[in-house]
Amino acid sequence: MIFVFPITSTYSKVYIAFLLIFFLFSDNLSYSQSNIDSVDLTKVLQKRKKKFIKNKYLKNIVSFNELFPKCYNEKDSSKYTIQNDIYFIDENINTVWDQYKNISLKESYSGHLVKFGFLYSKPENKLIYVNDEYSGLKEGQIIFIRLDLLKGIKKLVVAYEVANVDDENKIIQFCYMNNGVSEGSQKIMLSEAENGQTKITHRTFFKSDSKFRDKRIYPGFHRRVVSELHHNLMNSFH
């Protein structure tokens, strides 16, 4: 049985009013969460907080939805520089995989070179700060960090997106964002090694407009940053 209520009825007026309020509220919530200006700098634990909203990635855009990943493209593989960094840890591979996915933001991005800024989750349309509850690494998260290079003289904001979390093959892929200096991907791949150890391979594919930067400048800095991140993860087991 189908009931049809006339538009003039009290029920219909109340129902329509409810829908209008709901959709207006939903649109406002969506806008406020994805809007760049919604970043709460009081929750960014950095001395130079404004660098996180006044950086190359966010220049001339209003919403985080305007950011998209520029991943490694196999068709143009000859244009990329490839860098491999390998680590070993005396832990079971399943334990390491679980820790890599769920380590806290504070533990992961704490060191002399790397400082955590904030995280924007596309699927949840939500900003997450270092002291917020964090449910682990998920696809669609955009992570903003600051790199302190040359003993802190040079400070850069870097953003990358979690493009893939492959539980079966134990692979995590990050992609550089549009508007950045570089494009490409980083892959963290776990495999079983001898004596119950876990082998961690961090493979980076990157390119920019400067071959000199890609060959002479970036690799050294990148290796130091990657090393600090993985050692933070390793130290979290102790």
Side-chain angles (χ1 to χ4, degrees), residues 41-56:
L41 291 179
T42 65
K43 295 181 179 180
V44 177
L45 305 182
Q46 302 289 334
K47 291 182 179 179
R48 299 183 182 181
K49 302 173 187 289
K50 290 185 178 180
K51 287 188 74 70
F52 283 98
I53 56 171
K54 293 185 177 180
N55 63 72
K56 185 175 178 64

Side-chain angles (χ1 to χ4, degrees), residues 100-132:
Y100 265 60
K101 289 196 304 176
N102 297 299
I103 185 173
S104 72
L105 297 170
K106 184 176 289 187
E107 285 184 287
S108 183
Y109 299 97
S110 61
H112 297 293
L113 297 174
V114 184
K115 302 290 190 302
F116 179 76
F118 61 86
L119 181 155
Y120 175 73
S121 171
K122 287 182 177 179
E124 297 177 289
N125 190 23
K126 180 181 179 182
L127 284 160
I128 298 172
Y129 302 94
V130 69
N131 289 322
D132 289 347

Side-chain angles (χ1 to χ4, degrees), residues 54-71:
K54 293 185 177 180
N55 63 72
K56 185 175 178 64
Y57 297 96
L58 304 182
K59 189 175 181 179
N60 299 323
I61 68 172
V62 175
S63 168
F64 287 105
N65 295 324
E66 296 177 61
L67 291 176
F68 57 87
K70 301 198 74 173
C71 304

Side-chain angles (χ1 to χ4, degrees), residues 65-173:
N65 295 324
E66 296 177 61
L67 291 176
F68 57 87
K70 301 198 74 173
C71 304
Y72 166 68
N73 186 346
E74 290 186 7
K75 293 181 180 179
D76 296 325
S77 59
S78 61
K79 298 179 181 179
Y80 290 84
T81 298
I82 302 175
Q83 182 169 312
N84 283 311
D85 297 284
I86 297 174
Y87 308 89
F88 292 90
I89 185 169
D90 293 324
E91 296 286 347
N92 174 271
I93 188 171
N94 293 316
T95 302
V96 176
W97 176 248
D98 185 68
Q99 186 73 344
Y100 265 60
K101 289 196 304 176
N102 297 299
I103 185 173
S104 72
L105 297 170
K106 184 176 289 187
E107 285 184 287
S108 183
Y109 299 97
S110 61
H112 297 293
L113 297 174
V114 184
K115 302 290 190 302
F116 179 76
F118 61 86
L119 181 155
Y120 175 73
S121 171
K122 287 182 177 179
E124 297 177 289
N125 190 23
K126 180 181 179 182
L127 284 160
I128 298 172
Y129 302 94
V130 69
N131 289 322
D132 289 347
E133 183 178 345
Y134 179 61
S135 58
L137 209 61
K138 293 181 176 60
E139 294 173 10
Q141 293 175 343
I142 302 175
I143 302 171
F144 286 81
I145 61 174
R146 193 187 77 194
L147 304 181
D148 290 351
L149 306 175
L150 301 174
K151 296 183 179 180
I153 296 174
K154 183 68 173 178
K155 300 180 185 296
L156 299 175
V157 172
V158 177
Y160 52 87
E161 182 172 326
V162 182
N164 186 28
V165 180
D166 185 342
D167 286 299
E168 182 177 353
N169 297 302
K170 295 180 172 54
I171 298 174
I172 299 169
Q173 178 177 332

Side-chain angles (χ1 to χ4, degrees), residues 21-34 125:
I21 293 171
F22 175 78
F23 285 118
L24 285 171
F25 178 78
S26 298
D27 288 343
N28 184 62
L29 179 62
S30 175
Y31 172 80
S32 65
Q33 290 293 315
S34 62
N125 190 23

